């Protein structure tokens, strides 16, 4: 091994041997966490991303597709109760082509492709049923193309054609939709489904289409004029007009200083009005004209007399002869005829009632009459129709605002307390970490200090002891037994000079008998001065 690596391994081994049991435990735990985290990260990064291969497939088709994936050794996942098959992104298009070549998925809604398999010997009943199935399949596939729809089924009830109008019935349709996840169809989507199905079948009206979802909720009931009918139109009208009036009041008196309530009455019945009017154009010539004249002449003779008073004939009257003439003219003039067919749908506004309340403090700055005129104009009030507008100025209750403010203050205090607690918790963790680090450093420093102070037995300890014994005998001092220097543990050899060895021996003597050590030091100093 290279010297650098060998030296590094030696230092690491020496450092590890100097660790205590707790330090070794923490080191092992840290290394284990690092290794497990690395393995988890590598596993997560190397995991492929899955994409849907097919969605909303039948159980038989799902089983066949899974068998094909197992044959190709392609990993897969099943979701949504087995109706959705997921495969890695790299295998999506290849497996789709293989499935298509194998005729999978086979359980489809069919559509107009069912008509391609009909034989020439099919009966009229088979043709009618197959045509209805084809229409149902095409409508179902179209509905499934809408956003949020995962599966759909359409059932048509088309009555047989008859020449008896008294027994004729209208066609009906029922639609079943299944949405993905927790999503649901909006009212606009339901209305789109209703009009899509009604427009695809001859004689089918939106009122005869019912829509039901997978949860059993009736989204559009048969017999109603479209999705929602007049109720939906009334609700939308109230929201739209109420929002317009509220926006105007917020700009005039300020937000929160007014409230608007609108109630609209709408006609829920639909009708058709046929009106014919005739008008003779001015100056137009007659289409045809005919005239007839009659002339009558009578002779003279004796008459019965002249009628007198009380219708009694006067005798001896004479009658004279006369003539009469009459003319009869007939003209056929040109006449303009106008025929108007008006269809009145459901949801016609009959009348509306608008109630507006304004806070007293805010209304002091605005004229009430002017504010009423503005509200009437903004809501489109027609008093001739019977519309009613009521505007009142009254003090608003502040209980809800005070309660909301108290709740907001409480939430803010709680958030501040939580943030403070989290801050103190972080400080505590940091302090514990710093204390633990200081403890480790102190223990490590104390251990290094003991290693420095311990003498290494290189054969110099005995020579130093003999020199001290000789010096004590030469000076005539009472000899003292120096304390034995503890033998060092198995440590690497450290080079110590003569001075260090003597200093260590004197330190040991001073620790054992300070008085004798002082006398010895004084003697050594005297001998050094004489020499």
């Amino acid at each position: 091994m290279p010297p650098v690596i060998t030296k590094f391994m030696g230092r690491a081994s020496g450092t590890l041997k100097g660790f205590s049991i707790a330090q070794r435990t923490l080191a092992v735990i840290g290394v284990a966490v690092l290794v497990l985290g690395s393995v988890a990260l590598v596993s997560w990064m190397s995991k492929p991303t899955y994409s849907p291969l097919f969605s909303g497939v039948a159980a038989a088709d799902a089983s066949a597709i899974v068998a094909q994936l197992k044959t190709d050794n392609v990993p897969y996942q099943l979701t949504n109760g087995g109706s959705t098959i997921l495969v890695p992104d790299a295998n999506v298009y290849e497996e789709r082509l293989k499935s298509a070549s194998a005729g999978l998925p086979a359980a489809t809604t069919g559509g107009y492709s069912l008509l391609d398999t009909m034989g020439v010997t099919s009966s009229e009943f088979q043709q009618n049923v197959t045509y209805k199935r084809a229409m149902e399949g095409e409508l179902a596939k179209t509905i499934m193309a809408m956003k949020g729809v995962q599966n759909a089924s359409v059932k048509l009830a088309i009555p047989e054609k008859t020449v008896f109008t008294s027994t004729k019935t209208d066609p009906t349709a029922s639609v079943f939709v299944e949405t993905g996840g927790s999503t649901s169809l909006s009212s606009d989507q339901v209305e789109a489904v209703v009009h899509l199905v009604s427009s695809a079948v001859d004689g089918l009206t939106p009122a005869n289409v019912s829509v039901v979802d997978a949860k059993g909720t009736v989204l559009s009931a048969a017999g109603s004029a479209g999705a929602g009918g007049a109720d939906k139109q009334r609700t939308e009208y109230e929201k739209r007009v109420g929002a317009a009036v509220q926006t105007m009041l917020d700009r005039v008196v300020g937000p929160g200083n007014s409230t608007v309530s609108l109630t609209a009455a709408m006609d829920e019945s639909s009708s058709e009005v046929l009106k014919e009017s005739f008008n003779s154009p001015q100056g137009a010539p007659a289409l045809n004209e005919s005239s007839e004249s009659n002339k009558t002449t009578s002779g003279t003779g004796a008459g019965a007399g002249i009628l007198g008073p009380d219708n009694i004939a006067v005798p001896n009257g004479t009658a004279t002869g006369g003539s009469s003439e009459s003319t009869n003219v007939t003209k056929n003039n040109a006449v303009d005829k106008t025929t108007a067919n008006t269809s009145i749908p459901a949801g016609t506004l009959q009348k509306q009632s608008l109630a507006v309340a304004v806070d007293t403090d805010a209304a002091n700055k605005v004229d009430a009459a002017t504010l009423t005129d503005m509200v009437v104009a903004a809501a489109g009030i027609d008093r001739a129709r019977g519309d009613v507008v009521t505007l009142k100025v009254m003090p608003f209750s502040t209980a809800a605002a005070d309660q909301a403010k108290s709740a907001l203050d409480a939430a803010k205090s709680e958030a501040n307390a939580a943030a403070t607690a989290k801050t103190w918790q972080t400080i505590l963790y940091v302090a514990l970490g710093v204390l633990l680090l200081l403890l480790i450093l102190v223990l490590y420093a104390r251990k290094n200090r003991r290693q420095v102070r311990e003498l290494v037995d290189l054969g110099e300890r005995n020579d130093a002891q003999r020199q001290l014994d000789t010096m004590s005998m030469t000076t005539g001092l009472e000899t003292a037994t120096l304390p034995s220097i503890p033998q060092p543990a198995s440590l690497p050899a450290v080079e110590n000079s003569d001075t260090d060895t003597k200093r260590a021996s004197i330190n040991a003597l001073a620790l054992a008998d300070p008085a004798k050590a002082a006398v010895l030091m004084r003697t050594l100093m005297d001998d050094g001065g004489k020499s």
Side-chain angles (χ1 to χ4, degrees):
M1 296 178 68
V4 177
I5 299 179
T6 304
K7 187 175 180 180
F8 174 77
M9 293 297 293
R11 289 181 180 178
S13 177
T15 304
L16 185 61
K17 289 180 180 179
F19 283 177
S20 62
I21 297 178
Q23 293 173 344
R24 292 180 182 179
T25 304
L26 291 175
V28 171
I29 293 174
V31 172
V33 170
L34 182 61
V35 172
L36 292 177
S38 301
V39 172
L41 181 61
V42 172
S43 176
W44 177 76
M45 294 181 64
S46 59
K47 185 178 179 180
T49 304
Y50 284 81
S51 298
L53 180 64
F54 292 105
S55 298
V57 296
D61 292 337
S63 177
I65 294 172
V66 167
Q68 176 185 336
L69 294 177
K70 289 181 179 179
T71 304
D72 297 340
N73 294 325
V74 176
Y76 65 91
Q77 294 179 357
L78 299 178
T79 58
N80 295 333
S83 61
T84 302
I85 304 175
L86 305 177
V87 297
D89 291 340
N91 305 102
V92 172
Y93 300 106
E94 181 181 358
E95 292 301 324
R96 282 183 183 175
L97 293 176
K98 290 184 178 180
S99 300
S101 62
L104 297 174
T108 60
T109 54
Y112 289 124
S113 59
L114 294 175
L115 302 177
D116 298 336
T117 58
M118 293 182 60
V120 295
T121 59
S122 299
S123 63
E124 183 179 359
F125 175 77
Q126 291 178 337
Q127 293 177 359
N128 293 333
V129 172
T130 304
Y131 177 70
K132 188 176 71 172
R133 288 178 55 197
M135 292 182 63
E136 293 173 350
E138 290 295 330
L139 290 174
K141 288 193 295 184
T142 306
I143 294 173
M144 283 190 292
M146 297 178 63
K147 183 179 180 181
V149 179
Q150 185 175 0
N151 196 7
S153 176
V154 179
K155 301 298 180 183
L156 299 177
I158 303 176
E160 296 182 358
K161 295 182 179 180
T162 177
V163 296
F164 301 101
T165 58
S166 60
T167 60
K168 183 179 179 181
T169 58
D170 296 329
T172 59
S174 60
V175 182
F176 172 82
V177 292
E178 180 183 0
T179 57
S182 59
T183 60
S184 59
L185 294 182
S186 62
S187 58
D188 293 337
Q189 288 179 314
V190 175
E191 189 173 357
V193 171
V194 170
H195 287 285
L196 174 68
V197 176
S198 63
S199 301
V201 180
D202 185 19
L204 182 60
T205 60
N208 292 332
V209 179
S210 60
V211 182
V212 182
D213 63 0
K215 300 178 182 178
T217 305
V218 179
L219 304 179
S220 177
S224 62
D231 292 337
K232 177 185 175 183
Q233 296 180 9
R234 181 176 62 252
T235 303
E236 292 181 351
Y237 177 81
E238 291 175 353
K239 288 182 178 180
R240 183 176 69 253
V241 177
V245 176
Q246 187 65 62
T247 302
M248 183 198 67
L249 291 175
D250 289 343
R251 291 181 176 273
V252 175
V253 298
N257 294 324
S258 62
T259 180
V260 177
S261 178
L262 176 64
T263 302
M266 292 188 174
D267 187 7
E268 297 183 0
S269 61
S270 58
S271 60
E272 291 186 1
V273 178
L274 179 62
K275 182 179 180 181
E276 294 183 353
S277 60
F278 301 89
N279 185 22
S280 177
Q282 296 292 333
L287 295 178
N288 52 59
E289 182 178 356
S290 62
S291 62
E292 181 180 356
S293 299
N294 293 322
K295 186 176 181 181
T296 304
T297 303
S298 60
T300 62
I306 301 172
L307 292 178
D310 300 329
N311 294 329
I312 298 175
V314 177
N316 300 324
T318 59
T320 59
S323 63
S324 64
E325 183 177 358
S326 64
T327 303
N328 187 14
V329 178
T330 302
K331 292 183 179 181
N332 292 326
N333 297 320
V335 177
D336 292 338
K337 179 181 178 181
T338 303
T339 303
N341 190 1
T342 305
S343 178
I344 302 176
T348 304
L349 181 63
Q350 294 178 338
K351 67 176 182 178
Q352 57 183 346
S353 300
L354 180 64
V356 179
V358 182
D359 189 14
T360 305
D361 297 335
N364 293 331
K365 304 177 182 178
V366 183
D367 184 18
T370 304
L371 194 61
T372 303
D373 294 339
M374 295 174 63
V375 170
V376 168
I381 300 298
D382 186 3
R383 298 186 185 276
R385 186 175 52 192
D387 296 350
V388 178
V389 177
T390 303
L391 190 145
K392 297 293 183 181
V393 178
M394 59 185 65
F396 279 15
S397 174
T398 59
D402 296 340
Q403 185 178 1
K405 183 179 179 181
S406 300
L408 183 61
D409 294 340
K412 187 180 297 184
S413 300
E414 185 178 354
N416 293 335
T420 304
K422 187 175 182 180
T423 303
W424 281 110
Q425 184 178 6
T426 305
I427 293 174
L428 180 60
Y429 287 159
V430 173
L432 290 177
V434 171
L435 290 177
L436 182 61
L437 181 61
L438 290 177
L439 181 60
I440 294 173
L441 292 177
V442 169
L443 293 177
Y444 185 73
R446 290 184 63 183
K447 184 175 181 181
N448 287 343
R449 190 178 302 167
R450 276 199 311 271
Q451 291 178 357
V452 170
R453 287 182 178 180
E454 290 177 353
L455 291 176
V456 181
D457 189 6
L458 296 177
E460 299 177 353
R461 176 178 173 274
N462 296 331
D463 295 339
Q465 187 68 32
R466 285 195 294 270
Q467 289 177 6
L468 291 174
D469 294 342
T470 304
M471 281 190 261
S472 60
M473 288 186 295
T474 305
T475 56
L477 297 174
E478 193 177 24
T479 59
T481 304
L482 296 174
S484 60
I485 301 174
Q487 296 292 335
S490 299
L491 295 173
V494 180
E495 297 181 0
N496 292 329
S497 62
D498 256 356
T499 305
D500 295 333
T501 304
K502 292 178 181 179
R503 185 182 297 110
S505 299
I506 294 172
N507 288 337
L509 178 61
L511 291 174
D513 194 347
K516 291 181 181 180
V519 174
L520 179 59
M521 291 298 295
R522 193 179 299 112
T523 304
L524 291 175
M525 291 174 66
D526 293 340
D527 292 340
K530 293 178 182 180
S531 61

